[in-house]
Amino acid sequence: MGFLDDATLEHLRAVTNAPDMSRTKYTIVRELARGGMGTVYEAQDGELGRAVALKVVTAPEAMPDAIERLRREARTLARLEHPGIVPVHDIGDLPDGRLYYAMKLVRGPRLDEVAKGNAARAELLRIFGRVCEAVAFAHAHDVVHRDLKPENIMVGSFGEVLVLDWGLAGGAGVGNGEWSAVSGEISPQPHPAPHPRHPTVTAPGSILGTPGYMSPEQSRGDASAVDHRTDVYSLGAVLRWMVGATGESVPKAMAAIVARAMASVPGDRYQRVELLAADVEAFVERRPVSAYPEGALERLRRVATKYRTPIILVLAYLVMRVILLLAMRGRS
Amino acid sequence: MPSSFPPTRDSIIAAAASDDVIVRERALEAIAAAYRRPVYKYLRLRWRMEREDAEDHTQDFFAQALERELFARFDPSLARFRTYLRTCVDSSAKNAAKAANRQKRGGGAMHLALDFSSAEGELRGVAIPDERDADDFFRREWLRSLFSLAVDDLRAHCAEHGKQTHFALFERYDLGAERETYAELGVAMGIAATQVTNYLAFARRQFRAMLLARLRSLCGSDAEFREEARELLGVEV
């Protein structure tokens, strides 16, 4: 073989690694992100004439169970038809042996990027509520996400909120050996790249999740203890990250919500995501939250804050009346 | 769907430690086939050897590797084979610099059929790597050699299976400096553009399998193979 110059060498490396899309209706447009086992591409659906996201097993020679993991992930997603979960369009095998699935191509920043853009706490908590809805929906279908973190949450250009990367998802109490799919390994759109600070841990057969967001039962590798409350813990960690991201002081009631969500013992946490979401909503609306028994003074302060405007108006009215009365008396 | 990854090719690194001298010699020839160009270029640039000295030293290095069972002493738990080989080359070059009398060319040793003049031509315009870049340079040249061998494998495979058009397309599109459109290629080769897609896909699929098989054979352990594959193609194997 003659001399392969650097440009040819790089081209060969690229084409050798690219999925073989011949005999499919898709054309790869560009690579969006790459992980250890899966790569996400922007692709064009030639038949329907629309852009899609393709998640493809990175290599046909990949670990034998990688294909099965991706298939399971696609099936899990397909079961979860919800506005907060990216819909799957199609699944298939490529001529080179790789499995792929096609899904809606979503464009938008990840939650961690939204927070960097000086988003207000109220906006972040609105997003949190949408995340809770999607996760609660998954729980209702007996699917636990297991890797909830800011990098796995995307905010679309129309304000829609999507929970991504269901690669670790499985039913409650399912052992690692059965569901040890890698997530967080992939990203931007629709799957955010592994965050340098929050890489998903994938020690085979032991711990799966992301440090800082992983529940104690996940950290211990106790798969039998993993259930929907594992996601409650991770949501608590996301909430903690959110309220800290704005740099404002954290109110005691919010700190109590986070503490309850992130309790070490699952039985001490919110027992359902809906209860966590309800407390966060109550906090936003300045109502009492179940996680924090407030004193009389705190209640007064909260009510005063909540009804600040009408109270000011009433006070202003009363002051005006007093002034008027005094003025009339002085004249008479 | 069957995987395109071929059955594991025996590691020639392991064969280099065989008790059977013939197996050992064959393994060394295979190692030399993959490494002689990188070694020659490395000696020329890193050790600033004159052309003739580098030729001699490359010959001597592989000949002595056989005599001294150099590769049999490789321990995959300590380093990658490529790193080990480069360290051996460094050590050998140091000794050669000290030695007053250079070993005579050929001297009963294995003769490598290497076209040094073509390797020399490839050095034009290449900067001399300093100490820090030496490993990168050697790795780059090793990659070039590995890919070249895989291309040769693909050519042979296509010839053997009557897929010359597949290889011709691959050569023209993936190895050529200028890339025509599939439609232009189809016209030039007398086939439909859709066939161009399929033929190229076939050739690349085979090339990938051959590349990984070559890589596997040149690694001293499964762990090394996995690391190299991850770095080379970003894949987990």
Side-chain angles (χ1 to χ4, degrees):
Chain A
M1 176 61 216
F3 179 65
L4 294 176
D5 60 29
D6 286 352
T8 306
L9 201 56
E10 282 311 310
H11 172 76
L12 273 180
R13 283 178 73 169
V15 299
T16 303
N17 214 20
D20 177 0
M21 301 309 295
S22 61
R23 291 179 240 162
T24 74
K25 62 179 181 176
Y26 300 106
T27 307
I28 298 285
V29 176
R30 66 191 172 107
E31 183 178 311
L32 294 175
R34 173 180 295 267
M37 283 190 297
T39 305
V40 178
Y41 299 92
E42 179 182 339
Q44 186 68 19
D45 180 337
E47 284 184 13
L48 295 175
R50 65 176 174 181
V52 297
L54 286 185
K55 187 170 183 180
V56 187
V57 171
T58 299
E61 312 84 3
M63 286 173 269
D65 55 347
I67 289 174
E68 199 44 49
R69 288 175 185 180
L70 196 72
R71 194 186 307 279
R72 194 161 49 233
E73 181 182 333
R75 284 178 176 163
T76 299
L77 277 174
R79 282 169 57 199
L80 302 176
E81 287 186 49
H82 185 274
I85 298 169
V86 181
V88 170
H89 298 320
D90 189 13
I91 187 168
D93 296 306
L94 298 180
D96 59 15
R98 303 185 212 198
L99 182 81
Y100 73 91
Y101 70 81
M103 56 192 152
K104 181 182 177 183
L105 178 68
V106 188
R107 301 174 198 276
R110 303 179 316 210
L111 181 55
D112 57 315
E113 293 165 338
V114 171
K116 275 183 205 159
N118 298 322
R121 180 177 285 171
E123 170 60 7
L124 292 177
L125 293 179
R126 179 196 74 81
I127 293 169
F128 185 78
R130 301 290 83 75
V131 172
C132 286
E133 286 173 8
V135 175
F137 180 83
H139 289 178
H141 289 76
D142 198 29
V143 173
V144 183
H145 188 288
R146 301 170 207 256
D147 197 21
L148 293 165
K149 54 185 174 183
E151 295 79 22
N152 283 345
I153 295 162
M154 179 180 282
V155 182
S157 47
F158 295 99
E160 67 271 35
V161 177
L162 292 146
V163 179
L164 310 174
D165 220 338
W166 295 77
L168 283 186
V174 181
N176 284 346
E178 293 175 56
W179 55 264
S180 54
V182 175
S183 89
E185 39 135 356
I186 286 253
S187 289
Q189 304 145 353
H191 286 241
H195 196 279
R197 285 180 292 118
H198 306 144
T200 296
V201 174
T202 56
S206 53
I207 300 167
L208 293 168
T210 301
Y213 295 90
M214 198 175 3
S215 65
E217 56 269 25
Q218 283 176 296
S219 300
R220 290 195 305 270
D222 185 1
S224 64
V226 169
D227 63 17
H228 59 281
R229 293 172 299 183
T230 299
D231 281 349
V232 169
Y233 181 96
S234 300
L235 284 170
V238 170
L239 185 61
R240 181 180 61 179
W241 176 87
M242 276 180 164
V243 295
T246 59
E248 301 168 49
S249 62
V250 180
K252 286 179 183 171
M254 177 53 75
I257 293 172
V258 169
R260 178 178 285 184
M262 295 183 72
S264 300
V265 179
D268 293 341
R269 297 175 201 156
Y270 293 98
Q271 295 302 292
R272 288 186 294 123
V273 171
E274 292 92 325
L275 297 175
L276 167 61
D279 248 5
V280 172
E281 189 178 339
F283 172 83
V284 171
E285 295 175 355
R286 294 194 174 90
R287 289 186 281 111
V289 301
S290 71
Y292 186 66
E294 59 190 3
L297 197 62
E298 286 174 309
R299 183 173 303 169
L300 191 64
R301 191 181 302 144
R302 176 176 55 75
V303 171
T305 309
K306 180 178 178 181
Y307 298 109
R308 183 186 297 158
T309 307
I311 287 173
I312 288 172
L313 287 173
V314 168
L315 283 176
Y317 171 76
L318 289 175
V319 168
M320 287 294 292
R321 286 296 298 262
V322 169
I323 291 170
L324 278 172
L325 277 173
L326 289 174
M328 286 171 71
R329 240 184 230 178
R331 205 178 287 173
S332 63
Chain B
M1 178 66 63
S3 165
S4 61
F5 187 52
T8 306
R9 180 188 283 199
D10 289 339
S11 168
I12 56 175
I13 311 302
S18 168
D19 291 335
D20 186 334
V21 70
I22 295 175
V23 172
R24 215 161 55 233
E25 275 184 16
R26 281 185 186 159
L28 188 75
E29 280 170 18
I31 293 170
Y35 277 100
R36 56 195 172 194
R37 271 176 192 269
V39 167
Y40 173 77
K41 291 181 183 176
Y42 183 73
L43 290 171
R44 283 282 285 126
L45 293 185
R46 176 73 188 88
W47 287 94
R48 303 183 186 197
M49 285 188 182
E50 292 301 320
R51 181 176 174 167
E52 190 179 85
D53 290 343
E55 286 178 16
D56 284 345
H57 202 87
T58 305
Q59 299 275 16
D60 290 347
F61 175 77
F62 286 107
Q64 287 178 15
L66 181 64
E67 287 169 14
R68 296 182 188 176
E69 300 182 353
L70 192 64
F71 300 142
R73 295 204 292 271
F74 166 64
D75 181 351
S77 67
L78 297 178
R80 294 181 186 196
F81 181 74
R82 188 180 68 244
T83 307
Y84 174 76
L85 190 140
R86 188 177 69 81
T87 309
C88 291
V89 171
D90 281 336
S91 172
S92 168
K94 268 184 202 163
N95 291 338
K98 287 178 188 168
N101 299 315
R102 201 176 61 219
Q103 211 172 7
K104 295 292 179 191
R105 296 183 74 176
M110 176 180 69
H111 183 76
L112 299 172
L114 171 60
D115 177 8
F116 284 111
S117 61
S118 67
E120 186 64 25
E122 295 163 11
L123 287 174
R124 286 190 197 108
V126 178
I128 295 172
D130 64 20
E131 186 66 46
R132 288 166 302 170
D133 299 333
D135 197 49
D136 283 346
F137 173 80
F138 193 69
R139 178 179 180 273
R140 188 81 186 167
E141 291 309 316
W142 171 75
L143 276 183
R144 208 186 303 284
S145 179
L146 180 72
F147 272 75
S148 298
L149 290 171
V151 171
D152 291 340
D153 290 343
L154 179 65
R155 182 189 289 109
H157 176 85
C158 288
E160 189 183 337
H161 293 87
K163 308 273 189 188
Q164 287 88 344
T165 309
H166 297 67
F167 184 79
L169 272 170
F170 177 79
E171 191 171 36
R172 190 158 171 163
Y173 190 80
D174 285 332
L175 304 182
E178 290 179 13
R179 294 198 173 86
E180 301 153 277
T181 64
Y182 282 15
E184 289 168 343
L185 273 175
V187 170
M189 307 292 285
I191 56 177
T194 49
Q195 275 181 299
V196 172
T197 306
N198 291 334
Y199 282 20
L200 261 181
F202 169 86
R204 288 170 179 174
R205 206 157 57 232
Q206 295 300 322
F207 178 73
R208 177 191 176 86
M210 283 158 184
L211 183 70
L212 285 169
R214 276 278 177 188
L215 179 66
R216 178 68 192 89
S217 74
L218 288 168
C219 291
S221 65
D222 285 344
E224 184 182 340
F225 174 52
R226 281 195 293 273
E227 277 182 35
E228 293 283 14
R230 193 182 302 124
E231 286 180 18
L232 183 63
L233 296 173
V235 302
E236 298 290 342
V237 290

